Amino acid sequence: MADKKKKNLPPQAQDYQQFQDQREVKRPVVKNCIKAFFVGGFICFIGQIISTFYIYFFDFTEQTAGNPTTATLIFITMLLTGFGIYDRIGQFAGAGSAVPVTGFGNAVISAAIEHRTEGFVLGVGGNMFKLAGSVILFGVFSAFVVALIKTIIITWGGF
C-alpha cells in the first residue's frame, strides 16, 4: 500500500521520500513494548503491595483498599516527578509509565511545575489540569452515567 502511494508522487517527492526512508531511525518496537510491559507491570505490582499493606495493617477490605491505594500511587508519582525521577522512568518505559494511574499523577504535577513561575493561582492552579482535565472530565461523566444506569436498573429492575 505504501509503495503504491510512492509511485503516484511526483519525481521530486519520490526522491525526498526515498531520502527520508534511508535516514529514518528505525524504532525498536518489540524492545519498547517489552520495556513498557515490565515497567507497567512493576508499577501495578507496587500498587498490589500497597493495597495488601492497607488490607493487613489498616483493616481495609479488598473492595475498600482501592481508593487509598490509588491515592498513594498518585502521591508517590508526584513526589518522584517533583524530584525528576519519574521523567527518567518515563523516558525508559514509554507507555508503561503512562498507562497506569501514575501517568495521571505525572501529568498533573508536570504541568504544575512547568507553570509555577506564573504564580500559584494563574500559573499552577490555572494550568495544572490542562492535560489531565479531559481525563477528570470524562472520568466523572462516565461515573455519573454508570451510576445513573445502575440506579435505574436497581430501581426498576428489582435486582
Side-chain angles (χ1 to χ4, degrees):
M1 183 77 173
D3 292 331
K4 196 174 194 180
K5 288 182 181 178
K6 289 179 186 178
K7 290 179 183 177
N8 294 335
L9 294 173
Q12 290 177 330
Q14 286 179 358
D15 292 340
Y16 180 75
Q17 186 68 41
Q18 185 179 18
F19 175 79
Q20 180 183 359
D21 290 342
Q22 290 172 352
R23 284 162 179 76
E24 183 179 1
V25 177
K26 304 297 182 216
R27 295 184 190 98
V29 176
V30 174
K31 180 181 173 185
N32 289 344
C33 288
I34 291 170
K35 288 192 303 187
F37 175 79
F38 281 110
V39 172
F42 185 71
I43 291 170
C44 294
F45 174 70
I46 292 171
Q48 187 62 49
I49 290 172
I50 294 168
S51 180
T52 304
F53 176 80
Y54 281 129
I55 290 170
Y56 285 112
F57 292 106
F58 291 104
D59 203 31
F60 283 95
T61 65
E62 286 186 24
Q63 294 171 342
T64 59
N67 289 337
T69 301
T70 302
T72 304
L73 281 171
I74 291 173
F75 180 75
I76 291 169
T77 302
M78 289 181 170
L79 284 177
L80 292 176
T81 300
F83 289 122
I85 298 168
Y86 201 82
D87 293 336
R88 285 187 247 142
I89 294 170
Q91 284 180 336
F92 173 78
S97 65
V99 173
V101 72
T102 54
F104 172 76
N106 182 37
V108 171
I109 200 69
S110 294
I113 291 170
E114 185 177 336
H115 295 285
R116 71 178 182 262
T117 57
E118 298 172 25
F120 286 118
V121 175
L122 295 177
V124 174
N127 293 300
M128 181 184 288
F129 295 109
K130 278 189 176 177
L131 182 60
S134 60
V135 175
I136 294 170
L137 170 73
F138 290 114
V140 170
F141 179 74
S142 299
F144 171 75
V145 170
V146 169
L148 185 64
I149 292 170
K150 180 181 176 183
T151 304
I152 290 170
I153 290 173
I154 290 173
T155 304
W156 292 342
F159 293 109

